[in-house]
Amino acid sequence: PVVSTQSTGEVEYQGQLEKSKVVLEKVRENIQAQNESYDRILIARRLLNLTTDIYETANAATGPDNTKLKETVDCLRSEFSTDSLIDAVTSSMTSCLSVPLPPFH
């Protein structure tokens, strides 16, 4: 017969310790997933804010403010420089904005 040097209490403690480690690892994974979701939400909110600024500036009752439009488009292109859709949509905007628009009537 094999003689164990661990008491029943020690074995139970080791088992509980292993279970706790598994639970803590799952909690860590869940927190990491929530952080990633939150980061995506912040990015989406920033994109929405910038595109809303562009829309509102372009459609202002007093006419578009080319300077503000150009600054916002440049900011959008800078902050989302790896997004090919934003690049495609905004690529012609900055050159168009450098030409003064006719007065709004």
Side-chain angles (χ1 to χ4, degrees):
V2 177
V3 177
S4 174
T5 58
Q6 289 184 321
S7 71
T8 304
E10 289 174 333
V11 171
E12 289 176 4
Y13 174 77
Q14 288 296 328
Q16 290 298 325
L17 186 60
E18 290 304 315
K19 288 178 185 176
S20 294
K21 287 179 182 178
V22 169
V23 168
L24 286 174
E25 179 60 25
K26 293 292 183 189
V27 168
R28 187 193 66 75
E29 289 171 4
N30 287 338
I31 290 171
Q32 184 176 350
Q34 287 177 344
N35 285 339
E36 290 168 3
S37 293
Y38 182 70
D39 289 345
R40 285 192 299 275
I41 289 169
L42 289 178
I43 290 167
R45 188 177 84 188
R46 179 67 177 149
L47 177 59
L48 177 63
N49 288 343
L50 286 170
T51 54
T52 300
D53 285 349
I54 290 170
Y55 176 83
E56 289 175 350
T57 303
N59 292 292
T62 57
D65 177 344
N66 277 4
T67 303
K68 183 176 179 189
L69 271 173
K70 183 172 182 342
E71 288 171 358
T72 309
V73 168
D74 289 345
C75 184
L76 179 67
R77 290 176 58 83
S78 170
E79 290 186 31
F80 295 90
S81 61
T82 60
D83 189 311
S84 56
L85 178 60
I86 289 174
D87 183 55
V89 170
T90 60
S91 62
S92 63
M93 291 176 100
T94 50
S95 60
C96 292
L97 292 172
S98 62
V99 176
L101 296 175
F104 182 76
H105 296 290

